[in-house]
Amino acid sequence: MNHHRRLFRHRFQISRCFSSPSLSFDPPPAILQRRVVVTGLGMVTPLGCGVETTWRRLIDGRCGIRALTPGDLKMEGFDKETTLHTFEQLVSKVAAIVPSGTDEGEFNEEIWLRSKDHRSIARFIAYALCSSEEALRDANWMPSDLEKKERTGVSIGGGTGSISDILDAAQMICEKRLRRLSPFFIPRILINMAAGHVSMKYGFKVPNHAAVTACATGAHSIGDAARMIQFGDSDVMVAGGTESSIDALSIAGFCRSRALTTKYNSLPKESSRPFDCDRDGFVIGEGSGIMVLEELEHARDRGAKIYAEVRGYGMSGDAHHITQPHTDGRGAILAMTRALGQSGIHPNQVDYVNAHATSTPLGDAIEASAIESMFSDHATSGTLALSSTKGATGHLLGAAGAVEAIFAVLAIHHGIAPPTLNLENPDPIFHDGFKPLSAPMKMPIRAALSNSFGFGGTNASLLFACPP
């Protein structure tokens, strides 16, 4: 007992010593906020594999949406009758699928998925690896020495991981074949493994990060990466989002939530129609978008090409409903306000907005109202260019924010605001000069905003500006 009393008295004296005001620490060192620029881009989208192919087809008014087939459901472990029955039960039969093959602009599965070294790599990871390779080559950043690798990190998130692998594993349980389960099952479904594989392939050691915020994932991943550079955690970040959601269970789940379009099964290229009166839901899509972000002086010192500067990153929460934004659009307004507030850019200086607008009746109207409220006369005068590129790509879920952020950067780089496909009868909420673009517009773009909103009421806005 005396031993325990002495031990307690000793610990109490130590705690008093360390809590003494006279021994408190000095404030932490001040962190100078560093400027962040975009030096590399990579994409895998339903419009094609590669930035140049995707951008050209987007501006040309091409659409990456097609009719769904039973083979797209990835039900190889099931008999034909079950697969066909599942296909028939899906009320939405259109999808935005990455074109695969060996031709130019196609995703080559033999390179990224089929070798023995890739048994632990699911399709969403392969898309991230492919687009990261393009972005790093574009940035001319392939460091070989340890010091540079220890100043380079990865921030790549996803929305759902590999649902098709989970479906296959469940089938094994039903058929009492669990001993046949791949030892790579868990590494194939973990969302952070996209960032992990990119980190391992190139030896990038700080940080290794993966955001998972539904359809805002890509934007949050880029914004988080920019913050990591600003605060000195790294000098270079490989950042973006990836998704492979074209499978039976994912499509069935979104069908049951009544989120997907059902009116245009026979007209797939007309099915995604953001801001149009005849919209009835989004088109499920897949792909990946990756940026190389870099501290400004680091990029200048090595003579890197600079596409744009990351000027603002705004986040908010609707705190309202699991799938629907509040009708006042306050969450979107908060995210945009915070992105602009930290940028030093006036709302009237923003030339282009890439809207999240997914082609849902409620969401598109609320976002349009929020944008008008945010930009006021600048929007209604017609000087603000606005579009949703999901008419061409469908909704890429966890990759959407990253792909659309790249579109915003390319709009600045090329001086072209991309169009909104299938905008035939704009929502009545639009008036005067406030109307989405239905055709590409050549114009000087000094600053561009990209919005991303996700289930659970999570919102992100990224603001990019022309190179310093």
Side-chain angles (χ1 to χ4, degrees):
M1 180 67 72
N2 289 337
H3 169 74
H4 289 300
R5 285 175 180 169
R6 285 196 301 271
L7 184 60
F8 175 79
R9 193 181 303 120
H10 177 64
R11 287 177 175 170
F12 178 72
Q13 289 169 343
I14 290 175
S15 68
R16 271 181 45 179
C17 174
F18 279 100
S19 64
S20 172
S22 62
L23 295 177
S24 62
F25 293 109
D26 292 333
I31 298 174
L32 295 175
Q33 185 167 306
R34 310 192 304 166
R35 297 175 74 176
V36 181
V37 294
V38 181
T39 58
L41 302 172
M43 303 174 87
V44 175
T45 78
L47 286 170
C49 186
V51 171
E52 195 277 331
T53 298
T54 294
W55 178 252
R56 184 183 70 249
R57 291 175 179 174
L58 177 69
I59 298 304
D60 287 347
R62 301 270 292 275
C63 182
I65 298 167
R66 64 169 174 81
L68 197 66
T69 69
D72 294 323
L73 301 185
K74 299 182 180 68
M75 295 179 65
E76 288 80 4
F78 295 79
D79 60 70
K80 185 177 180 181
E81 182 181 354
T82 302
T83 301
L84 289 175
H85 180 69
T86 301
F87 179 75
E88 289 302 318
Q89 287 195 313
L90 298 177
V91 294
S92 181
K93 289 186 172 64
V94 293
I97 302 172
V98 169
S100 295
T102 56
D103 292 339
E104 185 180 359
E106 293 182 330
F107 176 75
N108 192 331
E109 295 181 347
E110 297 298 325
I111 294 175
W112 299 104
L113 281 171
R114 299 285 169 78
S115 76
K116 290 182 179 179
D117 295 333
H118 289 163
R119 286 178 297 172
S120 64
I121 295 177
R123 185 173 289 267
F124 80 99
I125 300 171
Y127 287 162
L129 284 166
C130 181
S131 49
S132 294
E133 174 92 1
E134 182 185 18
L136 287 163
R137 291 191 182 280
D138 185 37
N140 193 27
W141 184 250
M142 295 281 189
S144 56
D145 61 279
L146 182 61
E147 183 180 358
K148 291 178 180 177
K149 290 181 179 181
E150 288 184 342
R151 297 300 301 165
T152 305
V154 184
S155 173
I156 301 174
T160 59
S162 184
I163 299 295
S164 59
D165 275 302
I166 296 172
L167 181 62
D168 289 342
Q171 176 71 357
M172 288 183 179
I173 290 178
C174 293
E175 296 177 353
K176 300 178 181 179
R177 295 186 297 119
L178 200 55
R179 290 184 180 273
R180 299 283 301 275
L181 183 68
S182 168
F184 299 111
F185 169 67
I186 295 297
R188 285 174 62 91
I189 67 169
L190 292 177
I191 290 174
N192 74 296
M193 289 303 291
H197 275 285
V198 171
S199 172
M200 289 183 285
K201 180 176 181 178
Y202 300 102
F204 298 154
K205 297 185 179 295
V206 294
N208 182 346
H209 176 71
V212 186
T213 50
C215 305
T217 294
H220 278 133
S221 296
I222 291 169
D224 290 351
R227 292 272 173 88
M228 291 169 190
I229 294 173
Q230 287 172 338
F231 279 82
D233 296 311
S234 61
D235 292 327
V236 182
M237 289 293 294
V238 182
T242 187
E243 195 77 84
S244 175
S245 52
I246 310 301
D247 61 79
L249 206 52
S250 296
I251 298 170
F254 281 110
C255 282
R256 289 293 293 161
S257 68
R258 298 183 179 180
L260 301 184
T261 178
T262 60
K263 285 168 54 176
Y264 298 93
N265 289 336
S266 61
L267 299 166
K269 294 192 182 304
E270 298 179 22
S271 56
S272 182
R273 39 199 323 115
F275 297 128
D276 190 82
C277 282
D278 294 320
R279 65 190 185 274
D280 74 319
F282 73 78
V283 174
I284 193 167
E286 63 172 359
S288 176
I290 301 293
M291 288 183 178
V292 174
L293 302 181
E294 197 164 343
E295 192 271 326
L296 175 59
E297 295 308 319
H298 185 278
R300 282 175 170 168
D301 288 347
R302 68 182 191 90
K305 169 182 60 182
I306 297 176
Y307 284 98
E309 181 179 10
V310 183
R311 288 295 290 253
Y313 171 39
M315 296 174 282
S316 72
D318 290 336
H320 174 63
H321 188 271
I322 57 172
T323 60
Q324 297 176 2
H326 196 283
T327 53
D328 65 7
R330 187 62 186 161
I333 293 170
L334 265 176
M336 290 187 284
T337 300
R338 302 221 166 164
L340 279 158
Q342 63 189 237
S343 71
I345 293 173
H346 190 274
N348 288 354
Q349 293 176 304
V350 175
D351 298 303
Y352 170 64
V353 174
N354 187 294
H356 176 72
T358 62
S359 189
T360 57
L362 184 64
D364 289 18
I366 292 173
E367 184 182 9
S369 178
I371 291 169
E372 183 181 9
S373 176
M374 180 75 215
F375 292 97
S376 190
D377 293 344
H378 183 41
T380 55
S381 67
T383 54
L384 176 69
L386 165 70
S387 68
S388 170
T389 46
K390 288 186 177 74
T393 66
H395 187 6
L396 277 57
L397 306 180
V403 166
E404 290 156 18
I406 292 174
F407 289 156
V409 168
L410 290 172
I412 293 170
H413 183 67
H414 292 291
I416 303 175
T420 308
L421 262 59
N422 301 315
L423 186 64
E424 297 169 359
N425 187 13
D427 191 290
I429 197 166
F430 295 104
H431 59 94
D432 300 327
F434 181 46
K435 181 181 175 182
L437 297 174
S438 58
M441 177 181 288
K442 288 188 176 182
M443 57 183 288
I445 300 175
R446 300 162 299 166
L449 185 74
S450 180
N451 284 337
S452 296
F453 313 132
F455 281 5
T458 181
N459 309 307
S461 293
L462 291 167
L463 182 64
F464 300 93
C466 52

